[in-house]
Amino acid sequence: MRVGVLFDESELKPTGWFVDTDALDQYLDYCAAHLISDTWTNLFDFRPTFELVARWAFQKLLPDVPGLAYVELENATLGVSTRYTS
């Protein structure tokens, strides 16, 4: 799982950063662990296509990730990725 965040100059904190990447990393690890905890058909009430799961992840992260621009899921076996943005 990969995410992108957008920010502008006015949103930078005096420390020079916009988002706490350590906290974001922990949160993404938690979400990714959920995605690999079982087969997607057991985890979701909807048909879990890559597109729909990417949308689910975006919607789950949106309230807690400032400036969330996209969520990207990668299928390493097939060598493809799916990116959801709103």
Side-chain angles (χ1 to χ4, degrees):
M1 178 184 297
R2 181 176 297 122
V3 301
V5 295
L6 292 174
F7 62 93
D8 64 37
E9 188 69 27
S10 68
E11 295 172 300
L12 286 175
K13 297 177 180 157
T15 58
W17 52 273
F18 168 67
V19 65
D20 181 347
T21 54
D22 291 335
L24 180 57
D25 188 44
Q26 288 180 326
Y27 192 43
L28 293 179
D29 284 349
Y30 169 78
C31 290
H34 174 70
L35 293 178
I36 63 171
S37 68
D38 202 347
T39 60
W40 285 1
T41 52
N42 290 334
L43 293 176
F44 300 106
D45 293 332
F46 55 86
R47 183 172 181 244
T49 64
F50 256 73
E51 294 83 356
L52 294 178
V53 173
R55 181 180 71 184
W56 169 87
F58 184 93
Q59 291 169 344
K60 177 153 183 64
L61 295 169
L62 186 60
D64 299 311
V65 178
L68 183 65
Y70 68 84
V71 169
E72 184 175 288
L73 301 177
E74 180 182 1
N75 182 327
T77 304
L78 298 176
V80 298
S81 64
T82 299
R83 180 179 287 192
Y84 181 84
T85 185
S86 123

